[in-house]
Amino acid sequence: GTDSKTLAKGAGHFEETSIWRGNIAVAAHNRGTNNHFGKIHTLELGDEITLTTKLGTRAYEVVSVQKVLETDTSGTAATSDDRLTLYTCVRDQREYRWCVTAVAK
């Protein structure tokens, strides 16, 4: 999940999204002791992200880095392609989140 207790331990998985095929959506903190996504807003188009799970390892290419409203959960929608969507807060802008989308290579 992505509740506060889970994010205090590390990255959390949006449970309504895929764990391997389709859209995998993950959230994490970007400051403090669990600074897992501290620099995701500095990713650029074409950068590579590697995800490793118990199901395997997959490389993704960043296709979007954007600031979205905290209520915008469109990045968690199911997709027919394999993609990774990452969410984290925007520093000092409580109503926004960074949303990074990357597609499987």
Side-chain angles (χ1 to χ4, degrees), residues 63-83:
V63 295
S64 174
V65 178
Q66 60 183 331
K67 192 179 348 178
V68 299
L69 288 170
E70 72 171 327
T71 55
D72 181 354
T73 58
S74 60
T76 63
T79 61
S80 59
D81 62 343
D82 292 333
R83 67 176 54 206

Side-chain angles (χ1 to χ4, degrees), residues 30-31 41 66-68 88-99:
N30 60 21
R31 56 191 176 276
H41 65 285
Q66 60 183 331
K67 192 179 348 178
V68 299
T88 194
C89 295
V90 175
R91 184 178 290 260
D92 300 324
Q93 295 182 27
R94 185 178 200 142
E95 67 276 8
Y96 291 100
R97 301 289 181 265
W98 287 110
C99 179

